[in-house]
Amino acid sequence: MWKANFAFVVGLSIMACPASLQAQIITATDTTSEASVQIINTPYLLQPANKYGAVWVALDKNTLKNDRTPLQKGSYGTVEAQEKVYFSSDEMKKSKILVIFINTKNQPLTITPTNLSPAKSLSDASDRNKTLLVALNNMTLTDTVTSGEEDNWHKGNPKKIPLLSGNTTWIEPGIHTLKNVGREKSEFITIEW
């Protein structure tokens, strides 16, 4: 199982070109796990110095990665420890990349892109792992948790989750139904540890 935590970078060193372009650190919402999430602007050199590397997600289509390969909003990838990935942009507008540093790993992570039309739902379950949800656009979801034994399911009350593009939230282990309660399509990526 991979674990992650929204905290300032501890025990990690990264290289950025230049460091002053780092735009934002997202603060803790889950204090039990161990990783950090940053939103950076390009140009940016990502070289994780930790043991398990990082995951990156492009938050707009102006971002370019390695060898001038264009990325679309929602493009994602992994970077192994000590591997170098350089992000840059030809656009005058700054491009944003979400970088998630991984500190512990007990299983391969699963990265899943999802588009959810208005009023549509998605059900999923994981008994063991938390799932990190990364919003690619402004959205409002509800999360309904089903609990109990298989022959006696109990649906909980829906919890409203408003997210801005680039924001993240944790989905706890269990059986969840996510529903798009907004007027526009919800685009997000889930990363399961």
Side-chain angles (χ1 to χ4, degrees):
M1 163 170 34
W2 290 62
K3 293 186 177 180
N5 167 34
F6 297 94
F8 294 104
V9 179
V10 178
L12 301 175
S13 63
I14 60 171
M15 298 175 64
C17 302
S20 63
L21 291 180
Q22 293 180 2
Q24 179 179 358
I25 302 280
I26 299 174
T27 58
T29 58
D30 178 307
T31 57
T32 63
S33 16
E34 304 168 5
S36 62
V37 177
Q38 293 189 28
I39 295 179
I40 57 93
N41 293 318
T42 58
Y44 183 72
L45 174 62
L46 174 60
Q47 183 180 10
N50 61 344
K51 185 175 179 181
Y52 297 110
V55 176
W56 58 265
V57 178
L59 296 178
D60 60 45
K61 64 182 179 182
N62 296 317
T63 306
L64 299 174
K65 174 197 174 246
N66 273 1
D67 300 321
R68 321 237 2 113
T69 302
L71 301 177
Q72 297 299 313
K73 178 171 87 172
S75 296
Y76 61 87
T78 59
V79 182
E80 298 298 322
Q82 303 304 322
E83 182 183 2
K84 294 179 183 180
V85 178
Y86 184 72
F87 296 91
S88 62
S89 176
D90 287 336
E91 304 286 331
M92 295 301 289
K93 176 181 163 186
K94 291 181 180 177
S95 298
K96 291 185 179 177
I97 306 163
L98 178 73
V99 179
I100 304 154
F101 293 94
I102 308 301
N103 286 346
T104 60
K105 172 186 169 188
N106 294 326
Q107 70 177 45
L109 83 157
T110 303
I111 305 173
T112 307
T114 301
N115 292 318
L116 200 56
S117 297
K120 296 296 182 185
S121 297
L122 167 72
S123 295
D124 200 4
S126 175
D127 291 336
R128 301 172 298 150
N129 305 323
K130 293 181 182 183
T131 301
L132 182 65
L133 186 146
V134 178
L136 299 176
N137 63 344
N138 298 342
M139 68 178 73
T140 303
L141 303 172
T142 58
D143 180 14
T144 304
V145 179
T146 302
S147 60
E149 296 298 319
E150 189 171 347
D151 54 350
N152 190 20
W153 293 119
H154 170 70
K155 280 198 168 199
N157 293 326
K159 175 185 170 189
K160 196 171 189 179
I161 306 173
L163 295 168
L164 299 175
S165 177
N167 285 166
T168 59
T169 189
W170 284 105
I171 306 296
E172 294 294 324
I175 301 169
H176 294 264
T177 301
L178 298 176
K179 182 177 182 179
N180 180 358
V181 294
R183 294 181 180 185
E184 304 293 328
K185 177 172 64 173
S186 294
E187 300 176 58
F188 56 90
I189 288 178
T190 55
I191 305 170
E192 184 181 349
W193 275 257

